[in-house]
Amino acid sequence: MPIPVHALAHRPLTAKAVAELVALSTAPHVPDDFESRNAEVQKRGWAWEDLVCDSYRTGYGHVLCTEGSNPFGRPEVRHFLVFGEVYPVDPDDNEVTNGEWLYELIDDWQQLPGWSGRRPCTDQDCEAVLEQAAQAVTEHLGQGPERTILSSAATVTGPALTHRIWRTPTHALVLGPASDNGPYGLLTHLQLSYTPLTCGPDLPPADDDSLNRWISAHVDW
């Protein structure tokens, strides 16, 4: 049975956007000073973005957040590419009204160029966005995910959604929901995380509960 969701905003992920994300770790290193980073941002056709702390809006219209704020040529840092924002229903809210002020934050996401939204919707609408994004990752990498699991390990509220995991020789790509970490964690990102494999041990089996811990280690700071 579909689970209700207050609102969803998203912009479809593309194979080209995935390729740009994966290439960040091997790009020429850019110094940490603002002038150097700003020059690189302008050269790439990116923009600064404040929907997530220390983030960028890429030329493909998604929001990129990077550990340490400098994504260019730093293979040791984590990158999170957000292509969807969800306002889940909080089942612990007895009045089922939740925080209506959060609609304004979803509106901010929906007003980004190329983004669209649905209000209300269900977990199945979120799953459709994740499925389309998974096709983009598979198209770029030339292979399907190694693991697929329904999990709420990386979120605070809302329904469990599908996580999909790919690996390169050096990095993990984890596609799925993750806590916004903004206003009390009540919103949820739909994101593609690109993080060093050193964040966790070898990939556990799909039926092992430690896979949830592995996901959490790779999709959060």
Side-chain angles (χ1 to χ4, degrees):
M1 182 176 180
I3 300 173
V5 172
H6 287 304
L8 164 68
H10 73 98
R11 178 175 177 128
L13 193 65
T14 64
K16 289 183 178 179
V18 176
E20 181 180 53
L21 175 68
V22 171
L24 285 174
S25 63
T26 57
H29 177 73
V30 173
D32 283 337
D33 63 276
F34 176 80
E35 290 76 14
S36 298
R37 283 189 291 135
N38 190 50
E40 183 67 19
V41 165
Q42 293 185 8
K43 183 176 75 174
R44 287 174 174 263
W46 291 12
W48 301 95
E49 184 54 68
D50 59 6
L51 285 171
V52 183
C53 183
D54 295 325
S55 65
Y56 307 88
R57 185 168 1 110
T58 72
Y60 296 105
H62 307 109
V63 175
L64 175 72
C65 185
T66 295
E67 186 176 24
S69 76
N70 184 354
F72 308 117
R74 300 187 63 201
E76 77 281 7
V77 305
R78 311 180 195 206
H79 306 289
F80 307 119
L81 189 66
V82 181
F83 55 88
E85 192 75 2
V86 180
Y87 176 12
V89 170
D90 183 354
D92 295 324
D93 186 330
N94 293 329
E95 298 180 357
V96 198
T97 56
N98 294 256
E100 294 188 2
W101 57 275
L102 289 168
Y103 281 119
E104 297 179 4
L105 297 180
I106 290 291
D107 287 342
D108 290 340
W109 284 91
Q110 188 171 329
Q111 289 165 10
L112 290 176
W115 285 60
S116 61
R118 298 191 64 173
R119 179 190 303 184
C121 57
T122 71
D123 62 328
Q124 296 307 302
D125 296 299
C126 300
E127 289 288 11
V129 172
L130 290 170
E131 173 63 30
Q132 183 278 321
Q135 294 173 11
V137 180
T138 295
E139 180 182 345
H140 172 66
L141 295 178
Q143 61 184 24
E146 292 186 66
R147 300 284 189 274
T148 300
I149 180 175
L150 193 68
S151 174
S152 58
T155 58
V156 176
T157 61
L161 294 171
T162 301
H163 288 270
R164 296 172 176 86
I165 301 168
W166 294 258
R167 286 182 296 175
T168 72
T170 57
H171 286 72
L173 290 104
V174 183
L175 179 76
S179 178
D180 182 292
N181 288 330
Y184 312 108
L186 296 178
L187 298 183
T188 296
H189 294 320
L190 301 183
Q191 69 180 31
L192 178 61
S193 304
Y194 185 61
T195 55
L197 285 173
T198 52
C199 292
D202 291 341
L203 189 59
D207 58 354
D208 190 327
D209 187 60
S210 62
L211 183 58
N212 283 319
R213 294 192 293 274
W214 191 95
I215 289 171
S216 295
H218 284 82
V219 304
D220 205 350
W221 300 119

